[in-house]
Amino acid sequence: MHRSLLYLILISKIPFVTLLPGQVVAEDSSSSVSDKILSNETPVEEISGFPDYIELPELWATRMRELFALTKSEGREFSSCMGFDAANGVWTAGPALAGSKTTSSFIQDSVNCTGKQIADVHTHPVSSALPSEMDFRHALGYESLVSSFSVYLNETCGLIKSRSAIGIPPVQGVIEYGIGEAAWSMANPPKRDVSASVIAAAASKVEMALYCGDIGGRLNRVEAMPGLKFADPLFVILAKGVVLSMGYHLNLEQTLDYSTELDEGFRKSLFDAKWLSASQAEVALRASPKVMYGNLLTAAMYSDVKIGIGAGTTIPDIRDDTPKTSYLSSCYVGKRGKECRVVELFGTALKSKLLRNLAFYDPDTGNHLTVLKSGSGWILRKTRVGEFTYLGECKFVGRDCEIDGKGVMATDEGVQFEGVFENGHATGIGTATYRASGEVWKVKASESGYSKLERIH
Protein backbone atom coordinates (compact mmCIF):
# COMPACT_ATOMS: atom_id res chain seq x y z
CA MET A 1 0.00 0.00 0.00
CA HIS A 2 1.17 3.49 -0.83
CA ARG A 3 2.92 5.27 2.02
CA SER A 4 3.53 9.03 2.34
CA LEU A 5 4.49 11.27 5.26
CA LEU A 6 0.95 12.11 6.29
CA TYR A 7 -1.24 9.61 4.48
CA LEU A 8 -0.60 5.90 4.90
CA ILE A 9 -2.69 3.64 2.70
CA LEU A 10 -5.26 1.16 4.00
CA ILE A 11 -5.43 -2.40 2.70
CA SER A 12 -8.86 -2.85 1.17
CA LYS A 13 -10.80 -6.08 1.66
CA ILE A 14 -13.02 -5.27 -1.33
CA PRO A 15 -12.62 -7.98 -3.99
CA PHE A 16 -11.15 -6.83 -7.28
CA VAL A 17 -11.13 -8.39 -10.71
CA THR A 18 -8.25 -10.84 -11.09
CA LEU A 19 -5.87 -9.94 -13.90
CA LEU A 20 -3.39 -12.24 -15.59
CA PRO A 21 -5.34 -15.33 -14.53
CA GLY A 22 -3.08 -17.65 -16.52
CA GLN A 23 -1.04 -20.47 -15.18
CA VAL A 24 0.61 -20.24 -11.79
CA VAL A 25 4.34 -20.55 -12.11
CA ALA A 26 6.89 -22.39 -9.99
CA GLU A 27 10.66 -22.43 -9.51
CA ASP A 28 13.02 -24.98 -8.00
CA SER A 29 14.21 -24.07 -4.52
CA SER A 30 17.66 -24.16 -2.91
CA SER A 31 18.68 -24.65 0.71
CA SER A 32 20.15 -21.24 1.60
CA VAL A 33 19.47 -19.54 4.94
CA SER A 34 17.15 -17.10 3.15
CA ASP A 35 15.21 -19.94 1.55
CA LYS A 36 14.79 -21.74 4.85
CA ILE A 37 13.41 -18.59 6.50
CA LEU A 38 11.16 -17.53 3.64
CA SER A 39 9.78 -21.04 3.11
CA ASN A 40 9.22 -21.40 6.85
CA GLU A 41 11.35 -24.56 6.84
CA THR A 42 13.43 -23.04 9.65
CA PRO A 43 11.33 -20.33 11.34
CA VAL A 44 13.10 -17.57 13.22
CA GLU A 45 12.07 -17.98 16.84
CA GLU A 46 12.51 -14.37 17.98
CA ILE A 47 13.53 -10.99 16.64
CA SER A 48 17.22 -11.36 17.59
CA GLY A 49 17.58 -14.40 15.33
CA PHE A 50 17.17 -12.66 11.96
CA PRO A 51 20.20 -12.49 9.61
CA ASP A 52 21.74 -9.28 8.31
CA TYR A 53 20.28 -9.83 4.84
CA ILE A 54 18.06 -12.12 2.82
CA GLU A 55 17.83 -12.98 -0.85
CA LEU A 56 14.54 -13.56 -2.64
CA PRO A 57 13.72 -16.56 -4.81
CA GLU A 58 14.09 -15.49 -8.45
CA LEU A 59 10.45 -16.35 -9.12
CA TRP A 60 9.30 -13.95 -6.41
CA ALA A 61 11.62 -11.23 -7.74
CA THR A 62 10.26 -11.76 -11.25
CA ARG A 63 6.68 -11.50 -10.04
CA MET A 64 7.53 -8.24 -8.21
CA ARG A 65 8.94 -6.73 -11.42
CA GLU A 66 5.88 -7.87 -13.37
CA LEU A 67 3.51 -6.35 -10.83
CA PHE A 68 5.24 -2.97 -10.84
CA ALA A 69 5.26 -2.97 -14.64
CA LEU A 70 1.46 -3.29 -14.45
CA THR A 71 1.35 -0.51 -11.86
CA LYS A 72 3.49 1.75 -14.02
CA SER A 73 1.23 1.06 -16.99
CA GLU A 74 -2.14 1.43 -15.27
CA GLY A 75 -1.38 3.72 -12.33
CA ARG A 76 -2.90 1.46 -9.67
CA GLU A 77 -1.81 -1.13 -7.16
CA PHE A 78 -1.35 -4.80 -8.00
CA SER A 79 -0.80 -7.70 -5.64
CA SER A 80 -0.07 -11.41 -5.67
CA CYS A 81 0.14 -14.25 -3.20
CA MET A 82 3.41 -16.21 -3.04
CA GLY A 83 4.18 -19.60 -1.60
CA PHE A 84 6.36 -22.67 -1.39
CA ASP A 85 5.29 -26.13 -2.53
CA ALA A 86 7.19 -28.29 -0.06
CA ALA A 87 6.06 -31.55 -1.67
CA ASN A 88 7.69 -30.63 -4.97
CA GLY A 89 10.36 -28.31 -3.59
CA VAL A 90 9.35 -25.33 -5.71
CA TRP A 91 8.55 -21.66 -5.11
CA THR A 92 5.18 -20.48 -6.35
CA ALA A 93 3.44 -17.20 -7.19
CA GLY A 94 -0.27 -16.70 -7.75
CA PRO A 95 -2.09 -14.53 -10.28
CA ALA A 96 -1.89 -10.75 -10.25
CA LEU A 97 -4.81 -8.95 -8.65
CA ALA A 98 -5.75 -5.41 -9.68
CA GLY A 99 -6.47 -2.86 -6.99
CA SER A 100 -7.17 0.85 -7.06
CA LYS A 101 -4.77 3.77 -7.03
CA THR A 102 -4.37 3.45 -3.26
CA THR A 103 -5.57 0.01 -2.19
CA SER A 104 -4.70 -3.64 -2.73
CA SER A 105 -6.60 -6.90 -2.47
CA PHE A 106 -5.21 -10.28 -1.45
CA ILE A 107 -6.28 -13.89 -1.86
CA GLN A 108 -5.64 -15.87 1.30
CA ASP A 109 -5.70 -19.47 0.09
CA SER A 110 -3.26 -22.14 -0.98
CA VAL A 111 -4.97 -22.96 -4.28
CA ASN A 112 -3.81 -19.76 -6.00
CA CYS A 113 -0.27 -20.24 -4.77
CA THR A 114 -0.04 -23.97 -5.55
CA GLY A 115 1.08 -24.77 -2.06
CA LYS A 116 1.00 -23.21 1.37
CA GLN A 117 0.79 -19.42 1.08
CA ILE A 118 3.56 -17.96 3.17
CA ALA A 119 4.01 -14.54 1.59
CA ASP A 120 2.39 -11.84 -0.51
CA VAL A 121 3.42 -8.71 -2.34
CA HIS A 122 1.73 -5.50 -3.44
CA THR A 123 2.89 -2.42 -5.30
CA HIS A 124 2.93 1.29 -4.45
CA PRO A 125 2.19 3.62 -7.39
CA VAL A 126 3.99 6.51 -5.67
CA SER A 127 6.20 7.39 -2.70
CA SER A 128 8.38 4.45 -1.55
CA ALA A 129 8.42 0.73 -0.83
CA LEU A 130 8.25 1.27 2.94
CA PRO A 131 5.29 -0.44 4.62
CA SER A 132 2.34 1.45 6.07
CA GLU A 133 0.65 0.91 9.40
CA MET A 134 -1.97 -1.21 7.67
CA ASP A 135 0.75 -3.39 6.17
CA PHE A 136 1.68 -4.10 9.80
CA ARG A 137 -1.93 -4.99 10.52
CA HIS A 138 -2.12 -7.22 7.45
CA ALA A 139 1.11 -9.12 8.22
CA LEU A 140 0.08 -9.77 11.83
CA GLY A 141 -3.49 -10.60 10.87
CA TYR A 142 -2.72 -13.82 8.98
CA GLU A 143 -0.93 -16.54 10.91
CA SER A 144 0.19 -18.37 7.76
CA LEU A 145 2.06 -15.33 6.43
CA VAL A 146 5.77 -15.43 7.12
CA SER A 147 6.53 -12.33 5.07
CA SER A 148 4.73 -9.51 3.31
CA PHE A 149 6.43 -7.30 0.72
CA SER A 150 5.73 -3.92 -0.88
CA VAL A 151 7.29 -2.70 -4.14
CA TYR A 152 8.06 0.71 -5.62
CA LEU A 153 10.11 1.07 -8.79
CA ASN A 154 12.98 -1.43 -8.43
CA GLU A 155 12.93 -1.51 -4.64
CA THR A 156 11.09 -3.79 -2.26
CA CYS A 157 10.68 -3.80 1.51
CA GLY A 158 9.47 -6.81 3.44
CA LEU A 159 8.12 -7.43 6.91
CA ILE A 160 9.26 -10.88 8.06
CA LYS A 161 7.68 -12.41 11.14
CA SER A 162 9.36 -14.42 13.85
CA ARG A 163 7.42 -17.19 15.56
CA SER A 164 7.05 -14.85 18.53
CA ALA A 165 4.86 -12.58 16.37
CA ILE A 166 2.14 -15.23 16.19
CA GLY A 167 -0.76 -14.19 18.38
CA ILE A 168 0.20 -10.52 18.67
CA PRO A 169 -2.98 -8.49 18.03
CA PRO A 170 -2.77 -6.69 14.67
CA VAL A 171 -3.95 -3.46 16.30
CA GLN A 172 -0.86 -3.51 18.51
CA GLY A 173 1.31 -3.36 15.41
CA VAL A 174 -0.63 -0.37 14.12
CA ILE A 175 -0.27 1.48 17.42
CA GLU A 176 3.47 0.80 17.66
CA TYR A 177 3.83 2.09 14.10
CA GLY A 178 1.87 5.27 14.82
CA ILE A 179 3.64 6.02 18.10
CA GLY A 180 7.09 5.49 16.57
CA GLU A 181 6.38 7.64 13.52
CA ALA A 182 4.90 10.38 15.70
CA ALA A 183 7.87 10.40 18.09
CA TRP A 184 10.29 10.84 15.20
CA SER A 185 8.17 13.42 13.37
CA MET A 186 7.86 15.58 16.50
CA ALA A 187 11.63 15.85 16.84
CA ASN A 188 13.14 15.73 13.36
CA PRO A 189 12.60 16.86 9.77
CA PRO A 190 11.38 13.92 7.65
CA LYS A 191 14.13 11.85 6.02
CA ARG A 192 13.48 8.66 4.14
CA ASP A 193 16.38 6.59 5.59
CA VAL A 194 15.59 7.62 9.16
CA SER A 195 11.92 6.92 8.63
CA ALA A 196 12.88 3.36 7.62
CA SER A 197 14.74 2.85 10.89
CA VAL A 198 11.75 4.17 12.84
CA ILE A 199 9.48 1.69 11.06
CA ALA A 200 12.02 -1.05 11.79
CA ALA A 201 11.88 -0.12 15.48
CA ALA A 202 8.09 -0.41 15.45
CA ALA A 203 8.35 -3.77 13.66
CA SER A 204 10.76 -5.09 16.27
CA LYS A 205 8.27 -4.30 19.04
CA VAL A 206 5.85 -6.77 17.46
CA GLU A 207 8.55 -9.35 16.66
CA MET A 208 8.99 -8.57 12.97
CA ALA A 209 12.10 -7.57 11.03
CA LEU A 210 12.16 -5.04 8.17
CA TYR A 211 14.28 -5.73 5.09
CA CYS A 212 14.72 -3.36 2.12
CA GLY A 213 16.75 -3.38 -1.07
CA ASP A 214 16.75 -3.65 -4.86
CA ILE A 215 14.63 -6.42 -6.34
CA GLY A 216 16.89 -9.32 -7.28
CA GLY A 217 19.71 -8.19 -4.97
CA ARG A 218 20.31 -8.53 -1.27
CA LEU A 219 17.65 -7.12 1.00
CA ASN A 220 19.43 -5.69 4.00
CA ARG A 221 17.88 -5.71 7.43
CA VAL A 222 17.02 -2.14 8.45
CA GLU A 223 18.51 -1.27 11.81
CA ALA A 224 15.93 -0.18 14.36
CA MET A 225 16.14 3.44 15.50
CA PRO A 226 17.24 3.43 19.16
CA GLY A 227 16.35 5.86 21.90
CA LEU A 228 13.16 7.51 20.64
CA LYS A 229 11.80 9.78 23.38
CA PHE A 230 8.26 8.74 24.19
CA ALA A 231 7.77 11.11 27.13
CA ASP A 232 7.37 14.10 24.81
CA PRO A 233 4.42 16.21 26.06
CA LEU A 234 3.44 16.71 22.42
CA PHE A 235 1.81 13.28 22.70
CA VAL A 236 -0.87 15.18 24.65
CA ILE A 237 -1.33 17.39 21.58
CA LEU A 238 -1.59 14.33 19.34
CA ALA A 239 -4.12 12.79 21.73
CA LYS A 240 -6.16 15.98 21.58
CA GLY A 241 -5.84 15.87 17.81
CA VAL A 242 -7.54 12.46 17.78
CA VAL A 243 -10.36 13.77 19.99
CA LEU A 244 -10.80 16.94 17.96
CA SER A 245 -10.78 15.12 14.62
CA MET A 246 -13.28 12.52 15.79
CA GLY A 247 -15.45 15.34 17.13
CA TYR A 248 -15.33 17.30 13.88
CA HIS A 249 -16.14 14.19 11.86
CA LEU A 250 -19.01 13.12 14.14
CA ASN A 251 -20.27 16.71 14.51
CA LEU A 252 -19.79 16.78 18.29
CA GLU A 253 -19.57 19.99 20.34
CA GLN A 254 -16.28 20.21 22.26
CA THR A 255 -14.59 22.63 24.62
CA LEU A 256 -10.89 21.74 24.79
CA ASP A 257 -7.79 23.89 24.36
CA TYR A 258 -5.20 22.62 21.88
CA SER A 259 -2.33 22.81 24.37
CA THR A 260 -0.24 20.36 26.40
CA GLU A 261 -2.39 20.96 29.49
CA LEU A 262 -4.98 18.37 30.53
CA ASP A 263 -7.61 21.09 30.81
CA GLU A 264 -11.15 20.57 32.03
CA GLY A 265 -12.50 21.08 28.54
CA PHE A 266 -10.43 18.12 27.34
CA ARG A 267 -11.68 15.96 30.20
CA LYS A 268 -15.27 16.91 29.41
CA SER A 269 -14.79 16.25 25.70
CA LEU A 270 -13.46 12.76 26.49
CA PHE A 271 -16.43 11.84 28.65
CA ASP A 272 -18.87 13.34 26.13
CA ALA A 273 -17.30 11.48 23.18
CA LYS A 274 -19.76 9.01 21.66
CA TRP A 275 -16.92 6.81 20.37
CA LEU A 276 -15.29 6.43 23.80
CA SER A 277 -16.60 4.75 26.95
CA ALA A 278 -16.34 6.39 30.37
CA SER A 279 -13.88 3.72 31.52
CA GLN A 280 -11.70 4.29 28.44
CA ALA A 281 -11.72 8.02 29.16
CA GLU A 282 -10.67 7.41 32.78
CA VAL A 283 -7.81 5.10 31.75
CA ALA A 284 -6.57 7.55 29.12
CA LEU A 285 -6.47 10.47 31.56
CA ARG A 286 -4.47 8.49 34.12
CA ALA A 287 -1.88 7.33 31.58
CA SER A 288 1.38 8.88 30.44
CA PRO A 289 1.13 11.09 27.32
CA LYS A 290 2.39 8.31 25.01
CA VAL A 291 0.09 5.67 26.47
CA MET A 292 -2.84 8.09 26.41
CA TYR A 293 -2.25 8.69 22.71
CA GLY A 294 -2.04 4.94 22.07
CA ASN A 295 -5.22 4.29 24.07
CA LEU A 296 -7.19 6.92 22.15
CA LEU A 297 -5.86 5.61 18.83
CA THR A 298 -6.98 2.12 19.79
CA ALA A 299 -10.45 3.31 20.80
CA ALA A 300 -10.81 5.25 17.55
CA MET A 301 -9.72 2.20 15.52
CA TYR A 302 -12.40 0.07 17.16
CA SER A 303 -15.10 2.66 16.44
CA ASP A 304 -17.16 2.73 13.27
CA VAL A 305 -14.78 5.30 11.78
CA LYS A 306 -11.85 4.15 9.65
CA ILE A 307 -8.73 6.13 10.48
CA GLY A 308 -5.31 6.48 8.89
CA ILE A 309 -2.30 6.45 11.21
CA GLY A 310 1.24 7.59 10.48
CA ALA A 311 3.14 10.55 11.87
CA GLY A 312 -0.34 11.77 12.79
CA THR A 313 -3.91 10.74 12.08
CA THR A 314 -6.37 11.23 9.22
CA ILE A 315 -10.01 10.87 10.26
CA PRO A 316 -11.73 9.40 8.40
CA ASP A 317 -9.18 7.56 6.29
CA ILE A 318 -9.11 8.95 2.74
CA ARG A 319 -7.28 6.05 1.14
CA ASP A 320 -9.85 5.18 -1.47
CA ASP A 321 -10.95 6.74 -4.73
CA THR A 322 -13.90 8.66 -3.25
CA PRO A 323 -13.15 12.32 -2.41
CA LYS A 324 -14.35 13.21 1.08
CA THR A 325 -13.87 15.66 3.95
CA SER A 326 -11.30 14.55 6.51
CA TYR A 327 -9.33 15.94 9.45
CA LEU A 328 -5.56 15.63 9.62
CA SER A 329 -3.75 15.97 12.95
CA SER A 330 0.05 16.00 13.21
CA CYS A 331 3.12 17.44 14.93
CA TYR A 332 6.23 17.94 12.83
CA VAL A 333 9.35 19.98 12.18
CA GLY A 334 8.82 22.29 9.22
CA LYS A 335 10.58 25.26 7.69
CA ARG A 336 9.40 27.49 10.55
CA GLY A 337 10.38 25.03 13.26
CA LYS A 338 8.27 22.63 15.28
CA GLU A 339 4.49 22.98 15.10
CA CYS A 340 1.28 20.99 15.52
CA ARG A 341 -1.93 21.39 13.54
CA VAL A 342 -5.38 20.01 12.88
CA VAL A 343 -6.67 20.86 9.42
CA GLU A 344 -9.77 20.10 7.41
CA LEU A 345 -9.14 18.61 3.96
CA PHE A 346 -11.21 17.52 1.01
CA GLY A 347 -10.11 14.92 -1.51
CA THR A 348 -8.27 11.61 -1.55
CA ALA A 349 -4.86 10.47 -0.33
CA LEU A 350 -3.36 11.23 -3.73
CA LYS A 351 -4.94 14.66 -4.16
CA SER A 352 -6.51 16.79 -1.46
CA LYS A 353 -7.21 20.45 -0.81
CA LEU A 354 -6.76 22.30 2.48
CA LEU A 355 -10.11 23.81 3.46
CA ARG A 356 -9.69 25.10 7.01
CA ASN A 357 -7.07 25.47 9.75
CA LEU A 358 -8.85 24.25 12.89
CA ALA A 359 -6.16 23.98 15.57
CA PHE A 360 -2.57 25.14 15.99
CA TYR A 361 0.12 24.80 18.66
CA ASP A 362 3.63 26.29 18.68
CA PRO A 363 5.84 24.34 21.12
CA ASP A 364 8.44 27.13 21.23
CA THR A 365 6.09 29.97 22.23
CA GLY A 366 3.12 28.10 23.67
CA ASN A 367 0.78 30.00 21.34
CA HIS A 368 -2.27 27.93 20.49
CA LEU A 369 -5.77 28.10 19.08
CA THR A 370 -8.74 25.80 18.62
CA VAL A 371 -11.73 26.36 16.35
CA LEU A 372 -14.77 24.46 17.62
CA LYS A 373 -18.22 23.87 16.17
CA SER A 374 -21.08 25.56 18.00
CA GLY A 375 -24.50 25.09 16.48
CA SER A 376 -24.32 26.55 13.00
CA GLY A 377 -21.28 28.69 13.84
CA TRP A 378 -17.78 28.46 15.24
CA ILE A 379 -16.11 29.28 18.56
CA LEU A 380 -12.46 30.29 18.74
CA ARG A 381 -10.26 29.60 21.77
CA LYS A 382 -7.02 31.47 21.17
CA THR A 383 -3.97 32.29 23.29
CA ARG A 384 -1.01 34.42 22.26
CA VAL A 385 1.40 34.18 25.16
CA GLY A 386 2.35 37.62 26.48
CA GLU A 387 -0.41 39.32 24.52
CA PHE A 388 -3.99 38.08 24.99
CA THR A 389 -6.46 35.22 25.33
CA TYR A 390 -9.76 35.12 23.47
CA LEU A 391 -12.87 32.98 23.79
CA GLY A 392 -15.77 33.73 21.51
CA GLU A 393 -17.23 33.71 18.05
CA CYS A 394 -15.20 33.79 14.86
CA LYS A 395 -15.83 33.73 11.12
CA PHE A 396 -13.77 32.10 8.41
CA VAL A 397 -11.84 34.40 6.14
CA GLY A 398 -10.21 32.03 3.70
CA ARG A 399 -8.78 29.11 5.66
CA ASP A 400 -8.58 30.85 9.04
CA CYS A 401 -11.31 31.68 11.54
CA GLU A 402 -10.81 35.31 12.53
CA ILE A 403 -12.07 36.92 15.75
CA ASP A 404 -15.50 38.28 14.91
CA GLY A 405 -18.76 38.39 16.89
CA LYS A 406 -19.50 38.08 20.61
CA GLY A 407 -16.58 37.14 22.82
CA VAL A 408 -14.24 37.86 25.72
CA MET A 409 -10.64 39.03 25.32
CA ALA A 410 -8.19 39.44 28.20
CA THR A 411 -4.95 41.29 27.44
CA ASP A 412 -1.66 41.12 29.30
CA GLU A 413 -2.07 44.84 29.87
CA GLY A 414 -4.63 43.93 32.51
CA VAL A 415 -7.97 44.61 30.78
CA GLN A 416 -10.67 42.08 29.97
CA PHE A 417 -13.33 43.16 27.49
CA GLU A 418 -16.60 41.32 26.99
CA GLY A 419 -18.69 42.43 24.06
CA VAL A 420 -18.62 42.47 20.27
CA PHE A 421 -15.57 42.17 18.02
CA GLU A 422 -15.21 43.03 14.36
CA ASN A 423 -12.23 41.92 12.32
CA GLY A 424 -10.29 41.10 15.46
CA HIS A 425 -10.97 44.36 17.33
CA ALA A 426 -13.36 45.22 20.17
CA THR A 427 -16.12 47.55 19.07
CA GLY A 428 -19.23 49.25 20.47
CA ILE A 429 -20.62 48.97 23.99
CA GLY A 430 -19.29 46.28 26.31
CA THR A 431 -17.95 45.52 29.76
CA ALA A 432 -14.33 46.05 30.77
CA THR A 433 -12.74 44.56 33.88
CA TYR A 434 -9.50 46.14 35.10
CA ARG A 435 -7.37 43.51 36.81
CA ALA A 436 -5.19 45.85 38.89
CA SER A 437 -8.07 47.68 40.59
CA GLY A 438 -10.81 45.07 40.20
CA GLU A 439 -13.12 47.76 38.80
CA VAL A 440 -15.77 46.80 36.23
CA TRP A 441 -17.00 49.46 33.79
CA LYS A 442 -19.48 49.81 31.01
CA VAL A 443 -17.29 51.07 28.16
CA LYS A 444 -17.34 52.02 24.52
CA ALA A 445 -14.60 50.29 22.55
CA SER A 446 -12.86 51.82 19.56
CA GLU A 447 -9.49 51.57 17.81
CA SER A 448 -8.08 54.08 20.29
CA GLY A 449 -9.10 52.06 23.35
CA TYR A 450 -11.96 52.04 25.88
CA SER A 451 -14.03 55.07 26.88
CA LYS A 452 -15.54 54.58 30.36
CA LEU A 453 -19.27 55.25 30.42
CA GLU A 454 -20.53 53.91 33.75
CA ARG A 455 -18.93 52.09 36.66
CA ILE A 456 -20.65 48.76 37.37
CA HIS A 457 -18.51 47.48 40.23
Side-chain angles (χ1 to χ4, degrees), residues 312-331:
T313 57
T314 306
I315 300 175
D317 201 317
I318 56 175
R319 293 174 287 191
D320 56 33
D321 293 335
T322 304
K324 60 175 67 71
T325 300
S326 65
Y327 302 93
L328 171 66
S329 164
S330 61
C331 291

Side-chain angles (χ1 to χ4, degrees), residues 131-361:
S132 75
E133 93 280 17
M134 295 310 292
D135 293 334
F136 272 54
R137 187 172 191 170
H138 172 70
L140 291 169
Y142 295 92
E143 186 174 329
S144 67
L145 282 181
V146 175
S147 57
S148 184
F149 294 88
S150 46
V151 172
Y152 177 66
L153 298 177
N154 193 47
E155 184 183 27
T156 184
C157 289
L159 292 169
I160 304 181
K161 291 157 58 178
S162 70
R163 286 176 62 88
S164 299
I166 296 175
I168 292 178
V171 170
Q172 183 178 337
V174 175
I175 299 306
E176 293 293 350
Y177 185 105
I179 288 175
E181 282 279 283
W184 176 257
S185 178
M186 291 189 296
N188 302 274
K191 294 181 180 178
R192 186 240 181 261
D193 55 340
V194 175
S195 182
S197 65
V198 173
I199 294 173
S204 69
K205 290 182 180 295
V206 287
E207 296 294 330
M208 297 192 294
L210 176 65
Y211 287 84
C212 292
D214 290 338
I215 299 171
R218 287 184 174 182
L219 305 187
N220 294 310
R221 183 176 177 184
V222 180
E223 184 177 353
M225 169 65 67
L228 287 173
K229 295 181 179 179
F230 294 114
D232 195 321
L234 291 186
F235 274 113
V236 176
I237 291 288
L238 289 176
K240 288 186 173 185
V242 173
V243 176
L244 280 170
S245 297
M246 289 292 284
Y248 293 136
H249 177 62
L250 298 174
N251 201 31
L252 305 176
E253 291 198 8
Q254 303 180 98
T255 57
L256 66 154
D257 282 321
Y258 193 59
S259 70
T260 55
E261 300 297 323
L262 296 179
D263 55 281
E264 286 303 315
F266 177 54
R267 295 173 186 271
K268 184 178 186 304
S269 294
L270 282 183
F271 285 104
D272 289 346
K274 297 178 180 178
W275 54 276
L276 199 65
S277 69
S279 61
Q280 288 174 317
E282 286 280 7
V283 170
L285 288 169
R286 290 198 302 265
S288 68
K290 183 199 81 167
V291 174
M292 176 172 62
Y293 178 54
N295 287 348
L296 293 177
L297 283 181
T298 302
M301 287 182 64
Y302 280 115
S303 72
D304 293 332
V305 180
K306 291 182 178 180
I307 71 172
I309 300 173
T313 57
T314 306
I315 300 175
D317 201 317
I318 56 175
R319 293 174 287 191
D320 56 33
D321 293 335
T322 304
K324 60 175 67 71
T325 300
S326 65
Y327 302 93
L328 171 66
S329 164
S330 61
C331 291
Y332 55 92
V333 178
K335 294 180 179 180
R336 295 180 294 182
K338 192 179 297 185
E339 58 185 48
C340 303
R341 292 181 182 273
V342 179
V343 298
E344 183 182 54
L345 304 169
F346 182 80
T348 67
L350 297 180
K351 185 177 182 180
S352 61
K353 178 182 179 180
L354 174 61
L355 299 181
R356 295 185 176 109
N357 293 310
L358 296 176
F360 172 81
Y361 177 74

